[in-house]
Amino acid sequence: MATYRTTASVLRLRSGPGMDQAIIGRLPRGTPLHGLGAPVHGWLHVQAVLLDGALTGWVSAQHVGPTTGAPHLPEPPWMAIARQEVGVREYAGAQDNPRIVEYHQATSLQASDDETPWCSSFVNWCMLQAGLSGTHSALARSWEHWGGRLREPRVGCITVFKRQVPGNPGAGHVAFFLERIGNRVHVLGGNQSNSVCVGNYPSADLLSYRWTA
């Protein structure tokens, strides 16, 4: 699954693959797009990264190009798995999303709700589905010493951030690297806006890029 940028001055994001589909957004030139599948008759299903969040829809393939924000290396197998989970989100109210509960089972905590922080559970689950061993911990910063450190990131590498939480100096967040834009690091992860989606975090909060040993 490739990562793209828009090349038109303004590109319409549509609800489906076709000119007759509703316009759900207008994307300025250079907007990062993360591919969610193979092209369909000249249209790409993408998630557009915007300043106030992300939008998922369809764009004309003739108006996008490859990003130059990250090394052009093959994506690791766990990224295809992670991308398929985009859109999974917490349920409102007392009910719990069983998919998120399933993510938790990849850790020793094995939480049974979708309110327990689950970014590390998601990463562990993706690695398990890819036939690899993660940290088995629900703590985001357990990934800080997993595998080996990368000096420069590549798409899919484990990305660990610190978080400023009063009374919890060990707080953190973990997700999969997509690209760096300015002073922000864009990642695909779980428990981002209560869902699996693309988010971005300050470079100043970055702790480590990790890759399987």
Side-chain angles (χ1 to χ4, degrees):
M1 306 277 184
T3 300
Y4 310 94
R5 287 185 185 277
T6 59
T7 58
S9 56
V10 177
L11 182 59
R12 295 176 178 86
L13 183 72
R14 296 184 181 271
S15 60
M19 295 292 289
D20 58 339
Q21 301 297 306
I23 298 171
I24 58 176
R26 289 177 170 80
L27 310 176
R29 189 192 306 273
T31 299
L33 305 173
H34 301 294
L36 302 179
V40 176
H41 303 300
W43 292 82
L44 285 170
H45 191 205
V46 299
Q47 186 174 62
V49 180
L50 307 173
L51 291 177
D52 56 352
L55 276 177
T56 299
W58 294 80
V59 296
S60 172
Q62 65 178 319
H63 296 302
V64 303
T67 182
T68 58
H72 294 287
L73 297 171
E75 291 193 0
W78 58 82
M79 280 301 284
I81 295 166
R83 291 186 191 279
Q84 290 297 320
E85 300 299 302
V86 169
V88 172
R89 64 172 47 253
E90 298 173 16
Y91 288 169
Q95 289 188 321
D96 299 301
N97 188 327
R99 190 62 158 182
I100 296 175
V101 174
E102 182 180 332
Y103 300 156
H104 282 312
Q105 305 317 298
T107 74
S108 59
L109 182 62
Q110 298 194 335
S112 58
D113 59 75
D114 63 8
E115 295 179 353
T116 298
W118 50 279
C119 65
S120 182
S121 295
F122 176 70
V123 173
N124 269 291
W125 182 86
C126 290
M127 302 304 286
L128 184 63
Q129 303 308 303
L132 298 168
S133 181
T135 66
H136 309 292
S137 172
L139 298 177
R141 290 178 66 168
S142 66
W143 293 90
E144 204 172 346
H145 304 289
W146 178 85
R149 178 186 290 272
L150 293 178
R151 289 189 176 183
E152 290 296 325
R154 57 175 291 186
V155 172
C157 71
I158 308 296
T159 307
V160 189
F161 301 94
K162 63 184 177 181
R163 291 177 57 226
Q164 305 299 327
V165 178
N168 185 6
H173 180 66
V174 63
F176 299 115
F177 177 83
L178 291 172
E179 61 182 336
R180 292 180 298 201
I181 302 177
N183 62 355
R184 310 290 291 186
V185 180
H186 292 248
V187 291
L188 171 60
N191 205 18
Q192 299 181 166
S193 299
N194 299 326
S195 66
V196 179
C197 67
V198 174
N200 62 85
Y201 298 85
S203 298
D205 290 341
L206 176 69
L207 292 174
S208 185
Y209 296 119
R210 315 297 300 185
W211 194 260
T212 180

